[in-house]
């Protein structure tokens, strides 16, 4: 309890929060091991392409490649060498296999954040701008599969759209500029220190981690309580 009070006091001494940008995967829903085998099955017969794609994509983390087309062209070209095919085949696989299976997997995680819509609605009603910045595209489609009301958000976008994967700060700064907010008045909520947290730090924004592995202060329920305090 004393530790919680210290954290609360530290937050109260921070600049006022006028906008919150949420990560999506592992943040607005609780991740589960089933996602990898599900997407591997969906990738059949190219079952080894998924791990290769994810590994190759991770090489571009933090790099600013200007726009989505430039990022995807480089990614598809580098992966096509490994897969011994044309870059166009990789792009088609991403569009017709990877993303559809990713969206369909969201059904397994629906309601994994109890009261998420009510929590978000309360924040919005208090005048705080809300947004989602995922590293991956099709943000609205995934939220809809999760049963999360997309109308509660001012902005739904991805680092992929900007061609600058986390921890690049440019997508976060672009959202803050769109909202006419100073970076210090924006809170980033995410589940990873090395991507969400590092991007927030580089952008000069506040960061709140969510964790589902026994860290009570960072649990979803603790985060809901923190949000309730922001609304007062």
């Amino acid at each position: 309890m004393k530790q919680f009070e210290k954290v609360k006091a530290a937050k109260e001494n921070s600049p006022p929060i006028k906008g919150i940008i949420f990560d999506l995967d592992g943040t607005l829903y609780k991740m589960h091991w089933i996602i990898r085998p599900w997407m591997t099955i969906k990738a059949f017969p190219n079952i080894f392409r998924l791990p290769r794609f994810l590994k190759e994509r991770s090489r571009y983390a933090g790099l600013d490649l200007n726009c989505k087309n430039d990022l995807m062209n480089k990614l598809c070209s580098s992966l096509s060498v490994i897969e011994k095919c044309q870059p166009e085949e990789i792009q088609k696989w991403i569009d017709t296999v990877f993303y559809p299976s990713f969206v369909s997997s969201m059904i397994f995680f629906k309601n994994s954040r109890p009261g998420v819509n009510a929590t978000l609605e309360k924040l919005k009603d208090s005048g705080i701008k809300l947004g989602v910045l995922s590293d991956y595209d099709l943000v609205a489609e995934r939220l809809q599969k999760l049963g999360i009301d997309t109308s509660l958000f001012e902005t739904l976008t991805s680092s992929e759209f900007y061609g600058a994967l986390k921890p690049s700060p440019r997508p976060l700064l672009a959202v803050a500029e769109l909202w006419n907010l100073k970076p210090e008045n924006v809170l980033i909520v995410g589940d990873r220190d090395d991507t969400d947290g590092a991007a927030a730090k580089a952008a000069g924004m506040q960061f709140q981690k969510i964790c589902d592995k026994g860290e009570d202060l960072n649990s979803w329920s603790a985060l809901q309580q923190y949000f309730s305090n922001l609304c007062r």
Side-chain angles (χ1 to χ4, degrees):
M1 182 61 71
K2 290 182 179 180
Q3 189 176 3
F4 177 79
E5 291 300 324
K6 290 180 181 179
V7 172
K8 182 180 177 182
K11 293 295 183 181
E12 288 175 347
N13 292 327
S14 300
I17 292 170
K18 300 179 181 179
I20 300 176
I21 301 175
F22 292 89
D23 171 51
L24 178 49
D25 306 304
T27 299
L28 287 176
Y29 70 88
K30 185 176 180 180
M31 291 288 282
H32 192 275
W33 63 267
I34 198 171
I35 190 170
R36 186 62 71 90
W38 170 263
M39 293 183 68
T40 300
I41 291 170
K42 290 288 186 177
F44 184 84
N46 298 307
I47 59 174
F48 296 111
R49 183 168 291 176
L50 176 63
R52 289 169 182 164
F53 165 69
L54 296 175
K55 181 179 180 179
E56 192 64 18
R57 195 177 189 275
S58 69
R59 292 181 56 241
Y60 295 91
L63 300 181
D64 192 334
L65 296 176
N66 186 51
C67 65
K68 180 178 179 178
N69 283 343
D70 289 349
L71 169 64
M72 298 311 293
N73 285 341
K74 286 184 177 292
L75 174 57
C76 291
S77 293
S78 60
L79 185 57
S80 69
V81 174
I82 299 171
E83 290 286 294
K84 297 180 173 57
C85 64
Q86 295 298 311
E88 293 78 11
E89 180 181 331
I90 300 297
Q91 185 63 67
K92 182 178 180 180
W93 177 84
I94 293 171
D95 294 337
T96 64
V97 178
F98 173 75
Y99 269 119
S101 64
F102 197 6
V103 171
S104 67
S105 73
M106 294 297 102
I107 195 67
F108 296 113
F109 311 112
K110 191 173 182 179
N111 300 320
S112 60
R113 296 294 186 213
V116 61
N117 281 322
T119 298
L120 295 170
E121 186 173 4
K122 189 174 181 180
L123 286 167
K124 183 178 180 179
D125 288 345
S126 71
I128 296 175
K129 295 179 183 292
L130 303 178
V132 176
L133 177 75
S134 173
D135 238 11
Y136 292 90
D137 239 343
L138 299 189
V139 173
E141 291 85 347
R142 289 189 283 143
L143 287 171
Q144 288 164 359
K145 281 287 186 180
L146 288 165
I148 297 176
D149 186 356
T150 57
S151 70
L152 296 171
F153 300 97
E154 297 266 343
T155 303
L156 299 175
T157 190
S158 70
S159 299
E160 184 178 299
F161 171 79
Y162 287 96
L165 302 182
K166 298 173 184 177
S168 172
R170 183 166 65 85
L172 295 177
L173 291 169
V175 174
E177 184 178 3
L178 182 66
W179 291 352
N180 293 315
L181 293 180
K182 295 179 180 179
E184 59 264 32
N185 294 125
V186 178
L187 172 70
I188 308 305
V189 179
D191 65 314
R192 291 182 57 176
D193 291 310
D194 60 335
T195 54
D196 307 306
K201 183 177 181 179
M205 297 177 178
Q206 301 180 56
F207 176 62
Q208 177 65 49
K209 185 178 180 180
I210 183 169
C211 183
D212 293 305
K213 295 182 179 179
E215 296 182 29
D216 292 341
L217 291 175
N218 295 325
S219 68
W220 171 244
S221 59
L223 198 58
Q224 285 178 302
Q225 181 58 54
Y226 170 57
F227 290 150
S228 293
N229 294 334
L230 291 180
C231 297
R232 293 174 183 172

